[in-house]
């Protein structure tokens, strides 16, 4: 059963009040988050007011919804009524506060969930590290000397550490899938157009998707479907045809990633699937991200360049300088790659690949090995997620069960419209013990 | 524009000279431009392959 549904059932049947649950959550965050650096703002007063309202509604015989009393938190780029949407930057500190909650926040609140705070991220979501010059580095709960991944690192780490059972992040090039992998939790980048990004500060609009982090597959499916506004998945379909992506996705995988994908592929009897253009797709996604985000920030850079996080600023300026013809070429490649992926989904229902090439790198090193050479983790941890971004398809990141070892996750990608089949498979693999959220050592 | 990698790099360099990049950012920007040029070259090389649809 869904952990979130269990929490909500306890609130609805009076086993515990929403107020006591939120008090406990806030106290836990106050004591433990100093070690991780997940939260940027706690919304204690508002959360307690919302909790009392849930309790009052239950006392009056109302059903507050399937997430009654469930605490959640959001990446710092979601609009929250009354707060400035920082997007992880002090550049936006003088912007007016948001008038309304982002649509995803509204939907979770409408289901009874209670927002307790906002979470750290790479500035303007440009990075795979959650190393933020303004708000600090979010540390991996499995080893605080290691990166949580990014850009939704605060969201992934908060769920991994058990500070909240549910968090929202966003994924442009892998910003949900990368930190989910390194922190050992579940996440999903929904397919294009499935979830509303209204009220989420943009990074690269053609790629931006919002999505949840949870500690179980059932929770992931529940929240995805709640946010999508559709009925939960029911029943079993035909056995899916599984393909393990080779080529680019195998060549750059480190030993932990290879072991993880081999374990799952063997369990599923997966065939071999090829996307010959994967490397070019990654480069196209890299160029589009640079060019379009650089153009988006150009006016602000002209007036306030030195207020940006230096690492992000230099990437944005370089992107703004990208010759238009090169950007156009990368943009024109997107439908070519989509056609290649569509063709592969004629042979396979679900594709699997590592979500990251390695387990969480050490913070002080800040690098990963690629072709035997150290390269920036901030820019390259998404080398397996970026190609699939270009395809616009739903991709879940799932933690592979490996007790006693640092977590690593796999991507499970499917064609748009086959999300039910994807969730059925994830639930089955979790039930079989092949996939499981990693337990943080006490 | 030409599709040759050297010309791509030249285009980047020319862009950098045209823009008023703050001196404190120049080193970081140049490093990122080099990275972008590498990705541009990867994409160009792929698109030039004879087995790519449309070529």
């Amino acid at each position: 059963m869904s952990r979130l549904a269990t929490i909500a059932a306890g609130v609805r049947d009076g086993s515990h009040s929403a107020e006591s649950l939120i008090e406990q959550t806030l106290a836990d965050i106050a004591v433990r988050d100093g070690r991780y650096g997940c939260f940027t703002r706690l919304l204690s007063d508002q959360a307690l007011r919302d909790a009392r309202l849930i309790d009052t509604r239950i006392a009056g015989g109302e059903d507050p919804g399937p997430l009654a009393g469930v605490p959640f938190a959001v990446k710092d780029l979601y609009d929250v009524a009354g707060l400035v949407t920082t997007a992880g930057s002090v550049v936006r500190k003088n912007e007016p506060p948001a008038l309304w909650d982002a649509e995803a926040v509204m939907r979770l609140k409408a289901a009874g969930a209670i927002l307790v705070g906002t979470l750290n991220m790479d500035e303007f979501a440009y990075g795979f590290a959650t190393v933020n010059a303004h708000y600090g580095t979010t540390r991996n709960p499995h080893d605080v000397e290691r990166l949580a991944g990014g850009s939704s690192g605060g969201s992934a780490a908060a769920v991994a550490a058990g500070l909240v059972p549910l968090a929202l992040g966003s994924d442009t090039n892998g910003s949900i899938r990368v930190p989910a992998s390194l922190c050992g939790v579940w996440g999903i980048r929904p397919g294009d157009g499935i979830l509303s990004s209204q009220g989420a500060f943009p990074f690269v609009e053609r790629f931006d998707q919002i999505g949840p982090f949870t500690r179980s597959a059932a929770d992931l499916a529940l929240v995805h479907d709640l946010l999508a506004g559709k009925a939960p998945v029911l029943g079993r379909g035909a056995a899916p045809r599984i393909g393990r992506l080779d080529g680019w996705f195998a060549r750059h995988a480190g030993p932990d990633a290879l072991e993880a994908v081999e374990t799952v592929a063997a369990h599923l009897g997966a065939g071999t699937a090829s996307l010959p253009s994967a490397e070019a797709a990654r480069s196209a996604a890299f160029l589009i991200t640079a060019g379009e985000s650089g153009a988006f920030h150009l006016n602000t850079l002209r007036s306030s360049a030195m207020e940006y996080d230096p690492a992000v600023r230099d990437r944005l300026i370089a992107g703004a300088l990208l010759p238009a013809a090169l950007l156009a070429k990368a943009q024109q490649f997107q439908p070519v790659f989509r056609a290649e992926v569509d063709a592969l989904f004629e042979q396979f229902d679900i594709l699997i690949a590592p979500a990251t090439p390695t387990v969480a790198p050490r913070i002080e090193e800040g690098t990963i090995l690629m072709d035997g050479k150290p390269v920036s983790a901030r820019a390259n941890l998404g080398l397996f997620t970026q190609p699939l971004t270009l395809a616009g398809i739903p991709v879940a990141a799932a933690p592979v069960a490996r007790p006693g070892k640092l977590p690593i996750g796999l991507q499970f990608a499917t064609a748009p419209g086959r999300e039910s089949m994807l969730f059925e498979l994830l639930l089955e693999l979790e039930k079989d013990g092949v996939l499981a959220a990693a337990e943080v050592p006490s | 524009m030409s599709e040759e990698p050297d010309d791509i790099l030249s285009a980047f360099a020319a862009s950098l000279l045209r823009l008023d990049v703050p001196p404190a950012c120049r080193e970081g920007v140049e490093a990122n431009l080099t990275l972008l040029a590498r990705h541009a070259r990867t994409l160009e090389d792929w698109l030039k392959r004879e087995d790519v649809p449309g070529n």
Side-chain angles (χ1 to χ4, degrees):
Chain A
M1 184 183 184
S2 154
R3 290 169 185 237
L4 302 179
T6 303
I7 294 170
V11 171
R12 286 145 107 185
D13 71 15
S15 300
H16 45 81
S17 68
E19 184 178 8
S20 66
L21 185 61
I22 296 302
E23 280 175 342
Q24 189 183 337
T25 299
L26 293 168
D28 192 36
I29 294 167
V31 169
R32 294 172 59 220
D33 190 46
R35 186 168 165 77
Y36 309 126
C38 300
F39 281 82
T40 51
R41 289 174 289 196
L42 271 183
L43 309 173
S44 306
D45 293 344
Q46 184 62 51
L48 287 167
R49 277 197 294 275
D50 291 346
R52 286 183 208 113
L53 188 59
I54 294 284
D55 290 333
T56 303
R57 290 175 63 191
I58 291 170
E62 281 185 59
D63 181 354
L67 298 180
V70 170
F72 78 104
V74 296
K75 186 175 183 177
D76 228 339
L77 53 62
Y78 283 81
D79 283 352
V80 175
L83 298 185
V84 173
T85 308
T86 69
S89 179
V90 299
V91 172
R92 292 184 46 77
K93 64 181 182 294
N94 295 323
E95 294 293 322
L99 292 175
W100 298 282
D101 291 334
E103 184 167 344
V105 174
M106 281 194 225
R107 284 186 180 234
L108 292 183
K109 285 184 172 178
I114 295 172
L115 181 65
V116 298
T118 59
L119 297 159
N120 200 19
M121 56 185 285
D122 289 294
E123 187 187 46
F124 292 117
Y126 207 168
F128 292 119
T130 311
V131 174
N132 187 304
H134 316 297
Y135 300 102
T137 297
T138 296
R139 294 173 178 273
N140 193 311
H142 296 273
D143 178 348
V144 294
E145 300 302 321
R146 292 178 185 270
L147 293 171
S151 65
S152 309
S155 305
V159 171
L163 299 175
V164 282
L166 167 64
L168 295 182
S170 65
D171 187 313
T172 301
N173 279 293
S175 285
I176 287 175
R177 292 164 284 163
V178 168
S181 173
L182 301 188
C183 291
V185 295
W186 298 77
I188 187 165
R189 170 193 171 84
D192 284 2
I194 300 297
L195 304 191
S196 168
S197 294
Q198 186 278 325
F201 193 82
F203 174 27
V204 181
E205 282 191 309
R206 77 165 62 218
F207 292 153
D208 291 344
Q209 298 295 336
I210 62 123
F213 291 89
T214 65
R215 289 190 60 83
S216 77
D219 288 346
L220 197 70
L222 171 68
V223 177
H224 176 275
D225 290 345
L226 270 173
L227 291 172
K230 64 173 195 168
V233 174
L234 295 171
R236 266 189 70 84
R241 300 163 296 167
I242 314 290
R244 171 191 171 170
L245 286 168
D246 67 357
W248 172 257
F249 298 92
R251 195 161 68 245
H252 295 292
D256 291 286
L258 282 175
E259 182 188 84
V261 76
E262 277 164 13
T263 300
V264 176
H267 184 85
L268 291 169
T272 299
S274 295
L275 284 173
S277 300
E279 182 177 11
R282 192 234 172 178
S283 287
F286 208 102
L287 292 165
I288 292 169
T289 298
E292 295 189 1
S293 64
F296 180 75
H297 281 273
L298 188 55
N299 277 339
T300 319
L301 285 166
R302 284 189 172 118
S303 61
S304 316
M306 303 317 284
E307 291 181 34
Y308 280 69
D309 183 326
V312 173
R313 173 197 66 208
D314 295 351
R315 296 185 83 180
L316 289 171
I317 293 174
L321 293 165
L322 187 67
L326 287 183
L327 176 59
K329 198 161 279 187
Q331 290 164 337
Q332 287 159 8
F333 183 67
Q334 187 173 12
V336 175
F337 184 66
R338 284 190 177 203
E340 185 176 314
V341 173
D342 287 347
L344 195 56
F345 280 128
E346 297 293 318
Q347 298 174 53
F348 297 102
D349 297 304
I350 292 172
L351 302 171
I352 61 172
T356 50
T358 175
V359 297
R362 297 183 68 80
I363 293 169
E364 65 182 12
E365 290 165 5
T367 57
I368 58 170
L369 289 178
M370 201 171 163
D371 293 329
K373 295 176 190 162
V375 295
S376 159
R378 175 192 282 264
N380 292 291
L381 270 168
L383 79 162
F384 295 149
T385 54
Q386 278 182 294
L388 299 180
T389 281
L390 207 66
I393 54 178
V395 191
V400 176
R402 31 188 273 134
K405 295 181 179 174
L406 284 168
I408 195 161
L410 297 189
Q411 297 182 90
F412 288 74
T414 194
R418 293 186 193 159
E419 287 88 347
S420 298
M421 183 181 273
L422 173 67
F423 286 127
E424 293 282 355
L425 178 70
L426 297 177
L427 288 163
E428 189 175 308
L429 289 173
E430 188 179 43
K431 193 173 141 206
D432 292 347
V434 177
L435 303 176
E439 295 297 328
V440 171
S442 50
Chain B
M1 69 181 283
S2 166
E3 294 182 351
E4 293 306 311
D6 288 349
D7 292 332
I8 297 167
L9 286 166
S10 300
F12 277 138
S15 298
L16 188 61
L17 290 173
R18 279 199 303 274
L19 273 255
D20 185 19
V21 177
C25 312
R26 189 165 284 260
E27 192 181 333
V29 172
E30 284 176 345
N32 279 291
L33 282 174
T34 302
L35 187 60
L36 290 178
R38 206 174 297 148
H39 282 293
R41 206 167 358 193
T42 299
L43 182 58
E44 291 282 357
D45 288 349
W46 178 257
L47 291 174
K48 278 192 275 190
R49 283 172 54 136
E50 287 180 1
D51 56 349
V52 173
N55 280 359

